[in-house]
Amino acid sequence: MIDLRLLRDDPDAVRASQRARGEDPGLVDVLLEADAARRSALGRFESLRAEQKSLGSQVAKAKGEEKAALLARTKELSAQVKAAEAESTAASADVDRALLALSNVVHPAAPVGGEEDFRLIEEVGEKPSFDFEPRDHVDLGKLLGAIDLDRGAKVSGSRFYFFVGVGALLANAIVRCAQDYAVREGLIPVLPPVLVRPEAMEGTGFLGQAAENVYAMPDDGLYLVGTSEVPMAAYHMDEILDAGALPLRYAAYSPCFRREAGAHGRDTRGIIRVHQFDKVEMFVFCRPEDAEAEHEKLLAHEKAFLGLLELPYRVIDVATGDLGASAARKFDCEAWVPTQGKYREVTSTSNCTDFQARRLKIRTRDESGTRPVATLNGTLAAVPRLVVAILENFQQADGSVRVPAALVPYVGREALEPVAAR
RNA sequence: GGAGGAUUCGCCUAGUGGCCUAGGGCGCACGAUUGGAAAUCGUGUUGGGGGCAACCCCUCGCGGGUUCAAAUCCCGCAUCCUCCGCCA
């Protein structure tokens, strides 16, 4: 959630941000009104309550007739206090609801517009040129006995798959390589839970616009996370972090679950868009003034890891309309997918400023008191899309695939070779 | 799944309806003392909100209820601990 003080002091800035996102600027006025109503209701309750407390202590000391008279007055007051409290509670709930509906204020440097209005920052690496007709990752996966989509659909439905044989080895190699990279860079490795309570889901902003993409377990009141950003953001929920401990930098490895509602017909072939995949996600808690520098660091890690895998990619500055509720700014790295002739998103890093921390009550304490921290997240390695990029970019005419040098020790071989069909 | 017990400030603890405006200890911070330190003494030390301010309100795991008044009584829930059963 955003800072109510910012909203009071500079509502135009928030309206402008909403407009840039293509969201409703009218929410700002709803919130301003609710805030005013809450403050006046709170004032009424507080003065009545103060009177009740002071009379209460007189009742304790009084005796006889005096006491009876006081009791009559306090009885009446009690009902008024109760009513005023209910009013003030309701007004607070209105504010909370309005506050949760409002997205983070966008960063001034983020390009304004929709999905297509991103700013290209750079292109890195060389796109492969083939003197043969390149196969797509589905054909390669079949040829190598690495990806079994037919049986994935049989067992679990569309958008599910089995990694088999060298596919399983490659997937694990990517993860282990990413973990080792993270540890070398001083990030703390984590294996988080992937079922979380509503507070964690709500706090990270995934129950708003993105709710339809979340798997819910209603019998247990839990949600399956779409990214380990969720458990990691909530990891320090309700805590006050010592200023000396910041920044806290984690790299969490977990499966991710996405319903992909509203994506019917998109990327139906292959494993670009799936319901379940493994990912190593970086997550940072830092002082708000350090957030931009940390964001640059996360982007640098993403680029370094893609470089390690020798993949050609580009970096874009995501436009305001495509940021998601929590992010003020977002950079995507997109790997080249030869058979699509396109760059496709493989990693994404978001600066959520203090938006998530405010919802999750994650603060830091220093000389100036307590205040919310900033949170940032970034993909280090999303397995299926990296498998796609590796298979397609490094394929040879005979259907074999060269393993990038950094992964060779983890995969245990220098090339993936075609196998007989099973 | 069943039976018990617990949850109060960073930590330990007092508290069984009004003198709790939550006491004490440890730790921490600042000050006094000292050549400097230890010890000692003093002061401060949950978090959130409202108000220009003085100051006020909320906060004893969470949510309800009883009462003029709840840390305290009642109901529900959560988490942790112990034991039993079942399972990996």
Side-chain angles (χ1 to χ4, degrees):
Chain A
M1 64 182 70
I2 69 158
D3 188 353
L4 260 183
R5 262 167 288 230
L6 169 71
L7 189 94
R8 287 176 202 149
D9 296 346
D10 193 359
D12 280 338
V14 184
R15 284 192 196 98
S17 168
Q18 285 291 99
R19 256 181 248 113
R21 285 175 170 276
E23 292 173 22
D24 182 10
L27 280 177
V28 171
D29 300 286
V30 171
L31 193 45
L32 282 172
E33 228 166 272
D35 180 44
R38 183 189 68 103
R39 281 196 283 174
S40 79
L42 191 61
R44 278 194 298 278
F45 162 67
E46 286 188 357
S47 60
L48 283 169
R49 176 70 178 149
E51 192 183 349
Q52 182 186 40
K53 284 176 74 165
S54 89
L55 285 181
S57 60
Q58 290 176 44
V59 169
K61 289 173 207 139
K63 287 198 181 84
E65 269 175 46
E66 196 189 351
K67 184 159 189 165
L70 277 171
L71 279 179
R73 275 176 65 198
T74 49
K75 199 154 193 166
E76 191 181 324
L77 193 56
S78 170
Q80 290 174 16
V81 167
K82 210 165 237 180
E85 183 173 24
E87 241 174 83
S88 143
T89 304
S92 283
D94 288 344
V95 171
D96 290 346
R97 208 170 313 114
L99 210 43
L100 286 176
L102 202 60
S103 294
N104 200 0
V105 175
V106 300
H107 190 282
V112 175
E115 191 176 350
E116 301 307 316
D117 298 309
F118 62 84
R119 179 188 302 130
L120 176 64
I121 295 179
E122 60 178 324
E123 289 188 83
V124 181
E126 202 142 313
K127 299 173 188 169
S129 59
F130 301 104
D131 50 10
F132 57 92
E133 188 61 32
R135 299 170 167 94
D136 80 355
H137 73 276
V138 176
D139 289 342
L140 288 165
K142 213 173 272 184
L143 212 57
L144 299 169
I147 307 171
D148 194 335
L149 281 154
D150 296 337
R151 293 192 176 95
K154 176 177 72 178
V155 172
S156 300
S158 67
R159 299 197 192 282
F160 284 95
Y161 56 96
F162 285 77
F163 277 136
V164 183
V166 290
L169 294 180
L170 179 62
N172 268 335
I174 290 167
V175 170
R176 287 290 301 125
C177 185
Q179 281 184 321
D180 285 351
Y181 173 88
V183 170
R184 277 201 302 281
E185 294 296 326
L187 287 85
I188 302 162
V190 180
L191 303 181
V194 294
L195 280 167
V196 301
R197 296 161 172 260
E199 301 92 289
M201 209 37 112
E202 179 83 74
T204 33
F206 282 96
L207 288 187
Q209 309 151 330
E212 61 172 14
N213 272 311
V214 175
Y215 283 104
M217 321 291 280
D219 288 350
D220 304 283
L222 294 172
Y223 294 96
L224 266 173
V225 302
T227 162
S228 38
E229 172 189 346
V230 175
M232 289 322 293
Y235 186 56
H236 290 299
M237 176 164 62
D238 294 322
E239 294 182 23
I240 297 177
L241 304 170
D242 191 53
L246 298 179
L248 283 164
R249 302 185 182 106
Y250 299 99
Y253 164 51
S254 82
C256 305
F257 302 90
R258 300 185 180 183
R259 295 186 64 232
E260 297 297 345
H264 300 299
R266 287 169 67 194
D267 300 312
T268 48
R269 183 174 162 83
I271 56 169
I272 293 222
R273 190 175 299 276
V274 291
H275 288 309
Q276 177 184 339
F277 62 96
D278 286 354
K279 181 157 66 78
V280 178
E281 178 81 2
M282 301 177 284
F283 199 92
V284 174
F285 300 87
C286 69
R287 302 186 306 168
E289 57 270 34
D290 297 333
E292 286 195 40
E294 290 295 323
H295 200 194
E296 290 297 330
K297 262 183 206 153
L298 290 180
L299 179 58
H301 287 321
E302 293 182 1
K303 290 167 62 180
F305 192 68
L306 290 173
L308 212 53
L309 299 185
E310 304 168 37
L311 292 169
Y313 64 95
R314 70 176 184 185
V315 182
I316 65 168
D317 195 345
V318 174
T320 48
D322 202 23
L323 285 175
S326 295
R329 198 174 194 194
K330 184 196 276 194
F331 302 114
D332 283 359
C333 294
E334 302 180 323
W336 179 249
V337 178
T339 62
Q340 295 192 1
K342 281 196 282 202
Y343 285 105
R344 299 298 309 262
E345 177 184 338
V346 281
T347 71
S348 178
T349 179
S350 295
N351 178 359
C352 296
T353 63
D354 58 2
F355 184 83
Q356 291 177 330
R358 220 175 269 286
R359 291 175 167 222
L360 292 164
K361 300 184 183 69
I362 306 169
R363 289 159 292 176
T364 183
R365 194 189 338 252
D366 54 26
E367 314 76 47
S368 53
T370 64
R371 58 191 176 127
V373 299
T375 60
L376 301 99
N377 62 80
T379 320
L380 190 56
V383 170
R385 290 193 180 178
L386 287 175
V387 169
V388 169
I390 288 167
L391 294 188
E392 294 208 12
N393 280 288
F394 302 144
Q395 63 179 299
Q396 314 294 313
D398 63 357
S400 68
V401 171
R402 178 178 73 81
V403 175
L407 291 183
V408 168
Y410 298 101
V411 181
R413 61 194 74 192
E414 298 192 346
L416 313 181
E417 303 290 348
V419 296
R422 277 183 295 235

